[in-house]
């Protein structure tokens, strides 16, 4: 899907960043495990952090692309770290 500004701003909502990061990372564990890669997730946000106004779909898409590229270009038995 092509990223379009009108779509981006029309679907803004309150998003819990911690949840989005964890959800996307969880979807990548099977991929990294199949390549014997280690995926480490560290989210350093206060427990009472306020939601941000964002387009959840595009935020997930961006994080998914970053993780897919990281896994693709990390050798088998390599380590991937997600830190926010």
């Amino acid at each position: 899907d092509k990223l379009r500004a009108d779509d981006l701003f029309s679907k803004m909502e309150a998003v819990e960043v911690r949840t989005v990061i964890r959800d996307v990372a969880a979807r990548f564990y099977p991929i990294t495990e199949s390549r014997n890669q280690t995926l480490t997730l560290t989210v350093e946000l206060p427990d009472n952090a306020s939601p941000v106004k964002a387009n959840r779909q595009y935020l997930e898409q961006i994080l998914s692309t970053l993780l897919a590229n990281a896994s693709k270009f990390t050798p088998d038995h390599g380590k991937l770290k997600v830190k926010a």
Side-chain angles (χ1 to χ4, degrees):
D1 289 327
K2 200 170 191 179
L3 188 66
R4 295 180 5 184
D6 55 335
D7 289 342
L8 178 64
F9 294 111
S10 68
K11 298 177 183 174
M12 301 289 272
E13 62 182 291
V15 176
E16 295 285 345
V17 175
R18 177 189 320 273
T19 302
V20 172
I21 294 168
R22 287 183 179 159
D23 291 349
V24 171
R27 288 195 296 264
F28 274 86
Y29 280 118
I31 295 166
T32 57
E33 284 182 354
S34 72
R35 296 194 65 204
N36 294 310
Q37 296 169 330
T38 304
L39 176 58
T40 305
L41 177 64
T42 304
V43 180
E44 297 176 350
L45 295 171
D47 290 336
N48 62 347
S50 298
V52 297
K53 191 165 188 167
N55 181 310
R56 183 183 177 102
Q57 176 186 353
Y58 286 124
L59 184 56
E60 288 178 350
Q61 183 178 347
I62 291 164
L63 292 171
S64 293
T65 300
L66 289 170
L67 277 173
N69 286 336
S71 179
K72 180 179 178 180
F73 294 106
T74 298
D76 289 356
H77 303 283
K79 297 180 181 181
L80 291 91
K81 295 180 184 179
V82 177
K83 186 173 180 180

